[in-house]
Amino acid sequence: MDIKSHIKNLKGPIIVTGASGFVGANLFKALIAEREDVYGLVKYEKGWRLNDISDDQIMAVDLNDSAATKNLVESIKPKTVFDCVSYGAYSFEQDPALIYKTNFQSLVYFINQLSKYNISAYIHAGSSSEYGLNSAAPLENAACIPNSDYAVSKVAAAQYLHYMGKNKKFPSINLRLYSVYGPLEDSSRLIPNIIHNGLKKKFPPFVNPNTSRDFVYIDDICAAFILAASKIHPDLYGESFNIGSGIKTTIADLAKTTKTTFSIKNDPIFGDMEGRAWDLSDWYSDSKKAKDLLSWQAETSLQAGLKKTADWLKKFDADFKEMTKINSLAKKRSLSAIIACYKDSEAIPIMHERLTQTFKKLKIDYEIIFVNDGSPDDSAAVIRKISEKDHHVIGITHSRNFGSQMAFRSGMELSSKQGVVLLDGDLQDPPELIEGFYKKWQEGFDVVYGRRVKRDMPWYWGLLYKLFYRVFASFSYIAIPLDAGDFSLIDNKVARWMLKCNERDLFMRGIRAYVGFKQAGVDYIRPERVFGKSTNNFIKNLDWAKKGIFSFSNVPLSVLTISGFILLILSILIVLIEIILKIINPTIAPQGLTTVVVIIL
């Protein structure tokens, strides 16, 4: 098969979802080797499989987040989509809610957004698990009898794609993949485990020898995706295809091939390993439909595939350390600026202009996320107008005023770059300082915060702010940087851990310190607010201080505990005194009063 010519004929831009996974990574690399308009989607970070891929081709998007999905489709407007996202195929992925949300609900929303644009092909990574108990060479129109939540979710996805293809003329194809193996597969899986042991001239533990699989080499799987996208036409919309070798290979057969391939002298031992709940003795494909309509069939024999995977694995083990080292030294190439806006309509255009100049000076990819935190002025309209002219700008509007901390959280949840920069919308956080933050980030710091060495404000306010930070630091059970506000650059991996803290009353700079990682400060002078008057006052600042101290200090609880203990001791002493006085002088108090006092104490 001349797959390269088919890749070049695909309409772009092309996106591969689940690009950090086994199938997605191989498919993404096959595509990007032939053309540049290919983007790999990962949930958070690109991971080890994509270490050698430029960050410019990687996008961090959680497809379970509807806002992020919508923004992705509107910004990229892809023509060809290879959807390799799934959850539940591994035995440890057992959350039913997440299985159905990832494999079906998010898929429905994703396709709903894609259907607004004239896309050419949507190729979905289905699963042979859809057949469930009906697994002995079923045809594509055979009954599906799913035997797991994962299988049910995949059947639902296939049925939805069939409906969209046949009724809505959405250009989709579902590929029911059998047991894929090859380079970049997780080391815990069957074939990598066999090869690791085979290279040492031994066998791994095996399950029941009669359990069967239909093994397909990853290059053949990638070819199936590409051919499906290349050959799609209205008659194929919504169709499902079995993508397997058509060969029933039992675990006993696999052990025999392994013994020959790696010249192992000993015999395998079966039954030492517990099988998966859904493993069946007859699990193989009939892929005639794929051969007839897509001109696809598996071309790599099991023995050839094992040898190819072994060759890759030996090279990978040798290169991995060097590749990791090179990757760790590579420059961070993208940032999301998140601006919390409240009564800042006049400042927003200036902030946009200064941020744009700063990012262009740094020559990095960027996005600017303005969060209108329920502002009563025309901030929403100003942000909308800017976003219409500049595709780098994203606007979020809160239903009411939740405060700057929740505004930052909203932006962090939507950000898709390698790091985030948090700024207030009143221009008191100078965007030009991001250049200094960026240099520290490149040096290896995960968090770079602005340290306010001086404030342009009345001396008594400056004194109170300095006093707060020192009281906060002395009371806190974690190391809190002095005079450091929210203005900071935070690496994406740190931001993701911060988002895992489900605080209702957020104190971002405290959580930033709490999660740890390598942190550094950059000194600057904080200017006065450029437009309007500050919305802060003494009462708000006092509440702010209380929130910070009570959230990250054990001192208030310790004071209450010690006070309670002291009151307990005093109460016991007074009880003893009351009793002794009553014994010495029974008429010292009216009858019954001593008893009441003792009971109360």
Side-chain angles (χ1 to χ4, degrees), residues 342-402:
Y342 185 73
K343 295 183 178 180
D344 295 320
S345 60
E346 294 178 285
I348 288 170
I350 300 173
M351 174 67 81
H352 169 249
E353 183 181 348
R354 290 170 64 179
L355 279 170
T356 301
Q357 290 174 354
T358 299
F359 287 133
K360 286 184 176 179
K361 184 179 179 181
L362 290 172
K363 297 179 180 180
I364 61 173
D365 183 27
Y366 68 94
E367 64 185 3
I368 301 172
I369 304 175
F370 285 105
V371 185
N372 171 33
D373 189 31
S375 184
D377 61 12
D378 62 341
S379 292
V382 173
I383 294 169
R384 187 179 295 110
K385 186 176 180 180
I386 294 173
S387 67
E388 288 172 353
K389 296 178 180 178
D390 186 351
H391 71 277
H392 291 286
V393 176
I394 300 169
I396 302 173
T397 294
H398 283 173
S399 58
R400 65 168 176 84
N401 178 245
F402 289 92

Side-chain angles (χ1 to χ4, degrees), residues 268-279:
I269 299 175
F270 299 102
D272 276 4
M273 183 179 175
E274 187 177 348
R276 300 176 303 182
W278 55 84
D279 278 339

Side-chain angles (χ1 to χ4, degrees), residues 24-201:
N26 277 281
L27 178 57
F28 175 62
K29 288 187 173 186
L31 293 167
I32 204 171
E34 302 301 324
R35 52 193 297 170
E36 296 180 352
D37 60 340
V38 184
Y39 300 93
L41 268 59
V42 300
K43 189 172 184 179
Y44 296 134
E45 297 179 340
K46 63 183 184 180
W48 63 273
R49 292 186 178 96
L50 303 179
N51 264 340
D52 55 338
I53 301 297
S54 168
D55 293 331
D56 296 336
Q57 304 300 128
I58 304 296
M59 299 184 70
V61 179
D62 183 359
L63 293 177
N64 284 339
D65 183 335
S66 58
T69 301
K70 183 179 180 182
N71 179 58
L72 164 73
V73 175
E74 290 179 350
S75 58
I76 300 295
K77 295 182 178 62
K79 288 294 183 182
T80 304
V81 177
F82 296 102
D83 189 0
C84 300
V85 169
S86 71
Y87 176 86
Y90 292 86
S91 57
F92 58 82
E93 296 176 335
Q94 296 182 348
D95 182 350
L98 191 55
I99 288 173
Y100 292 110
K101 183 176 183 180
T102 303
N103 299 343
F104 182 68
Q105 292 171 310
S106 296
L107 175 142
V108 170
Y109 185 80
F110 188 28
I111 290 176
N112 180 259
Q113 295 301 313
L114 290 170
S115 63
K116 297 176 183 178
Y117 301 90
N118 186 27
I119 77 165
S120 298
Y122 173 91
I123 313 301
H124 178 251
S127 172
S128 57
S129 297
E130 294 171 37
Y131 294 115
L133 300 176
N134 185 19
S135 58
L139 297 175
E140 284 80 355
N141 59 359
C144 291
I145 311 174
N147 57 343
S148 67
D149 287 310
Y150 174 71
V152 173
S153 70
K154 285 298 196 179
V155 170
Q159 290 297 319
Y160 177 72
L161 291 173
H162 185 269
Y163 161 75
M164 289 297 293
K166 301 304 181 186
N167 295 79
K168 302 292 184 179
K169 304 304 177 186
F170 182 77
S172 59
I173 285 178
N174 181 52
L175 301 183
R176 289 173 175 160
L177 309 182
Y178 278 77
S179 297
V180 190
Y181 72 97
L184 302 180
E185 190 177 5
D186 291 303
S187 59
S188 61
R189 303 282 280 181
L190 175 62
I191 296 298
N193 199 14
I194 283 175
I195 293 173
H196 273 292
N197 282 276
L199 292 171
K200 299 175 184 178
K201 306 299 181 183

